[in-house]
């Protein structure tokens, strides 16, 4: 019930039951990306042959297994106003972004770049990412293999940044990882400043 399709850009596996495509390329061992028209066959024992411009690929479809291991996702760095965040008691954030769960920033520290990665050692460079900053992003932002997200001019308030990843075979870790942060208002927009305005 699985369709194997040779293309001009690799070999494609299509599962009609779930309507999903899986593309294979040179990283998966293909002789090349371009295949010849009508250069294919399947033997009586199930082995498939696909002829391309650089040779022939032969394989048993039953031996092609999808990677179902969910990739772990981690935040690796936080840039604030274009520079790596300083860490520590007197720094911009109290601890490294990879272990922090809730941080507080002053109103002028409102340009943030989140860096992230997947802890996937099998073809980890092919991982795909999606992220969302609540309440700014209403839907997931698909970033492909790009491992950073940039936000500017964030208003004072509460935010949650979440990033998730898919392994090389497109299996998503929907839980991902997240961090919440609070951007404080400037002093002239605090409750006690408004109280002073009212008294004046």
């Amino acid at each position: 019930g699985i369709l194997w399709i040779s293309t001009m850009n690799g070999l494609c596996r299509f599962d009609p039951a779930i309507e999903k495509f899986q593309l294979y390329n040179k990283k998966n061992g293909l002789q090349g990306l371009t295949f010849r028209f009508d250069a294919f066959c399947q033997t009586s024992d199930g082995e498939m042959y696909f002829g391309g411009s650089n040779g022939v690929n032969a394989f048993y479809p039953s031996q092609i297994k999808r990677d179902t291991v969910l990739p772990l996702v981690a935040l690796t760095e936080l840039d604030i106003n274009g520079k790596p965040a300083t860490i520590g008691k007197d720094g911009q954030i109290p601890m490294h972004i990879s272990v922090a769960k809730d941080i507080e920033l002053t109103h002028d520290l409102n340009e943030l770049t989140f860096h992230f990665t997947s802890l996937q050692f099998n073809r980890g460079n092919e991982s795909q990412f999606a992220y969302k900053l609540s309440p700014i992003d209403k839907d997931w932002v698909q970033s492909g293999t790009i491992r950073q997200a940039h936000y500017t001019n964030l208003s004072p308030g509460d935010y949650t940044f979440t990033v998730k990843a898919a392994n090389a075979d497109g299996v998503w870790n929907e839980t991902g990882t997240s961090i919440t942060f609070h951007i404080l208002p400037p002093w002239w927009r605090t409750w006690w400043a408004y109280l002073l305005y009212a008294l004046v």
Side-chain angles (χ1 to χ4, degrees):
I2 303 296
L3 298 178
W4 288 88
I5 308 162
S6 59
T7 75
M8 299 298 287
N9 191 35
L11 194 60
C12 189
R13 177 187 187 274
F14 177 65
D15 187 345
I18 58 174
E19 298 183 349
K20 292 289 185 181
F21 285 94
Q22 176 69 41
L23 185 65
Y24 296 89
N25 54 34
K26 289 183 178 180
K27 293 178 181 178
N28 305 110
L30 295 186
Q31 43 76 33
L33 295 179
T34 305
F35 287 86
R36 300 285 186 179
F37 182 71
D38 277 347
F40 59 88
C41 73
Q42 186 171 21
T43 62
S44 59
D45 65 348
E47 188 173 17
M48 299 191 81
Y49 291 83
F50 286 92
S53 56
N54 297 322
V56 177
N57 280 102
F59 62 94
Y60 289 94
S62 60
Q63 295 178 354
I64 306 297
K65 302 297 182 185
R66 192 169 185 231
D67 184 0
T68 58
V69 177
L70 299 181
L72 296 175
V73 191
L75 295 169
T76 58
E77 194 162 344
L78 174 65
D79 293 344
I80 300 179
N81 295 348
K83 297 180 180 179
T86 56
I87 303 169
K89 184 178 179 181
D90 298 321
Q92 295 166 322
I93 57 177
M95 59 190 67
H96 193 269
I97 192 71
S98 62
V99 293
K101 290 300 176 187
D102 194 355
I103 57 178
E104 193 172 79
L105 301 169
T106 57
H107 72 94
D108 56 333
L109 303 179
N110 64 348
E111 179 185 339
L112 306 178
T113 303
F114 297 91
H115 298 264
F116 41 82
T117 191
S118 67
L119 305 177
Q120 185 82 10
F121 302 104
N122 179 24
R123 296 157 60 202
N125 60 332
E126 298 177 49
S127 294
Q128 302 283 314
F129 297 91
Y131 60 83
K132 178 165 51 175
L133 179 64
S134 299
I136 300 293
D137 298 322
K138 302 305 179 187
D139 297 309
W140 290 97
V141 178
Q142 301 291 331
S143 65
T145 58
I146 297 173
R147 298 165 185 248
Q148 65 180 37
H150 184 68
Y151 294 91
T152 60
N153 298 320
L154 293 173
S155 301
D158 295 312
Y159 300 89
T160 301
F161 178 77
T162 307
V163 58
K164 62 182 182 178
N167 66 19
D169 284 345
V171 178
W172 284 90
N173 176 351
E174 294 291 347
T175 303
T177 190
S178 63
I179 185 170
T180 59
F181 61 97
H182 179 70
I183 297 180
L184 298 170
W187 67 265
W188 61 88
R189 288 181 56 188
T190 57
W191 66 269
W192 54 266
Y194 286 118
L195 179 61
L196 178 62
Y197 301 152
L199 291 174
V200 170

